[in-house]
Amino acid sequence: ISDFYGNASGTRDTILYASCFDANAGVFESLLTENDAIISDALNHASIIDGVRLCKAKRFRYANGDVKDLELQLQKAEEAGCKVKMVATDGVFSMDGVIAPLREICDVVEKYNAVLFVDDAHATGFLGKTGRGTGEYWDVIDRIHLVNSTLGKALGGASGGYTTGHELLVSALRNTSRPYLFSNTLAPSVVGAAKAAIDLVDNPATRTPLLDQLWGNAKLFRDRMSAAGFTLAGKDHAIIPVMLGDARLASDMADRLLKRGIYVIGFSYPVVPKDKARIRVQISAAHSLDQVNRAVDAFIEVGKELSIIS
Ligand code: PLP
């Protein structure tokens, strides 16, 4: 994993956890004290929220993806006399399919001499030219101090998580991170499968057709659904939420789609804000274009049945 992110200086190291949830539970408490600050995006994943709860650092929150608000919160942390200021963001926000503006975030982080933490669970293995994630998408891999991610999504879909960053930070985690110290590590079979998945992503001959298929599928779904009149959220990502608003409508639509062989999940409050219920569609490189077309046809049929589109 260290090599995958680039280790030209030889100072990168990586620590494995049983899951990314554990990596997020272990990272903040280990590295930050009550004299420090954690400045967290309002839409960060639940495991980051729990990790922050376990840590004694002062807490600041900025509006989702809002770099101006982030700067304001960094100023507040500075005024409060916090020593280390760690900014924490998802690379991709999983309920919206929205990519965090990491380039602008890096600029602000560096201006305030802060530390940047990115949870890249929804980007590792496929986002960026060679699948190295949100850091590669924005060309800022070397400006991110810590990346946590999962082996359980694009890299094989089993389980496992990790933190990668400077070896001194990783060494501190090895010595103090509770989910690492007090829990069993990954099963060797899972590690073997994840290594094989990384090899597939690392090799242009296997990576290119997979990424072409993924982004071709995502474009087909997005284009046809938009043309049919559905409201979609997100951009440049394979998570494509179909926005419906009403919670009952979202679950009714998901049920009707399942009856037509399309397995999608309706999300409503408290997983997403009130009146922002949606069906989160996740497009995969394992889908064929025919399957994507079948899914869109089913959406159109059910959308008409429920008067979502005309
Ligand atoms: N971080 C984000 C952004 C996620 O979406 C998830 C999984 O849903 C996790 C962390 C947790 O990953 P894992 O399943 O490896 O615990």
Side-chain angles (χ1 to χ4, degrees):
I1 291 170
S2 297
D3 288 344
F4 182 65
Y5 280 84
N7 193 15
S9 63
T11 58
R12 182 183 286 280
D13 199 358
T14 301
I15 175 174
L16 286 181
Y17 289 88
S19 69
C20 185
F21 201 109
D22 278 349
N24 286 343
V27 68
F28 303 109
E29 188 210 10
S30 281
L31 300 178
L32 301 173
T33 72
E34 63 272 24
N35 300 320
D36 302 321
I38 169 112
I39 302 112
S40 190
D41 188 289
L43 287 193
N44 275 343
H45 188 256
S47 53
I48 296 182
I49 293 169
D50 285 7
V52 171
R53 282 181 184 150
L54 292 169
C55 155
K56 293 198 173 68
K58 293 189 181 63
R59 297 172 200 172
F60 299 83
R61 205 161 74 135
Y62 66 97
N64 176 232
D66 184 336
V67 182
K68 281 211 178 81
D69 192 25
L70 168 59
E71 178 155 16
L72 216 81
Q73 302 307 320
L74 277 162
Q75 285 165 357
K76 281 189 191 163
E78 216 162 60
E79 282 157 20
C82 299
K83 269 167 66 183
V84 179
K85 299 177 286 294
M86 186 185 281
V87 174
T89 180
D90 282 7
V92 173
F93 294 93
S94 59
M95 290 299 141
D96 302 271
V98 164
I99 302 172
L102 284 194
R103 203 170 286 157
E104 287 92 337
I105 290 176
C106 283
D107 290 344
V108 179
V109 162
E110 286 161 12
K111 182 171 166 190
Y112 288 85
N113 211 8
V115 173
L116 179 58
F117 163 92
V118 174
D119 176 336
D120 228 16
H122 285 282
T124 302
F126 64 96
L127 197 65
K129 243 186 356 238
T130 65
R132 275 151 178 82
T134 315
E136 186 184 38
Y137 178 88
W138 292 114
D139 196 18
V140 295
I141 287 188
D142 293 335
R143 298 169 72 190
I144 303 170
H145 300 93
L146 287 165
V147 174
N148 277 9
S149 195
T150 183
L151 303 175
K153 297 194 194 290
L155 296 181
S159 60
Y162 60 85
T163 300
T164 186
H166 195 282
E167 62 188 0
L168 293 176
L169 293 174
V170 171
S171 167
L173 292 173
R174 282 215 175 86
N175 286 287
T176 58
S177 180
R178 293 167 71 83
Y180 177 79
L181 287 174
F182 298 108
S183 180
N184 281 321
T185 191
L186 282 176
S189 51
V190 171
V191 174
K195 272 187 79 181
I198 290 172
D199 286 344
L200 291 177
V201 177
D202 226 4
N203 178 352
T206 42
R207 173 182 68 230
T208 308
L210 285 169
L211 291 189
D212 286 352
Q213 183 76 38
L214 175 67
W215 298 122
N217 285 348
K219 182 172 177 347
L220 173 65
F221 186 82
R222 197 171 264 288
D223 287 353
R224 278 200 64 205
M225 289 289 285
S226 298
F230 287 103
T231 305
L232 308 177
K235 183 174 169 282
D236 283 354
H237 202 271
I239 292 172
I240 306 180
V242 181
M243 303 304 287
L244 297 167
D246 181 67
R248 191 165 296 163
L249 183 61
S251 85
D252 190 11
M253 185 164 199
D255 290 346
R256 289 176 191 229
L257 284 162
L258 188 58
K259 285 199 183 106
R260 287 166 172 80
I262 309 299
Y263 183 43
V264 285
I265 306 286
F267 285 99
S268 53
Y269 182 80
V271 180
V272 294
K274 273 203 174 105
D275 302 324
K276 293 266 172 74
R278 67 200 66 181
I279 287 178
R280 184 179 70 165
V281 177
Q282 294 176 276
I283 302 290
S284 158
H287 293 130
S288 66
L289 290 175
D290 279 351
Q291 287 171 327
V292 175
N293 274 321
R294 231 182 77 206
V296 177
D297 292 342
F299 262 98
I300 291 173
E301 219 177 281
V302 174
K304 284 182 178 162
E305 256 174 44
L306 294 171
S307 306
I308 296 163
I309 55 169
S310 47

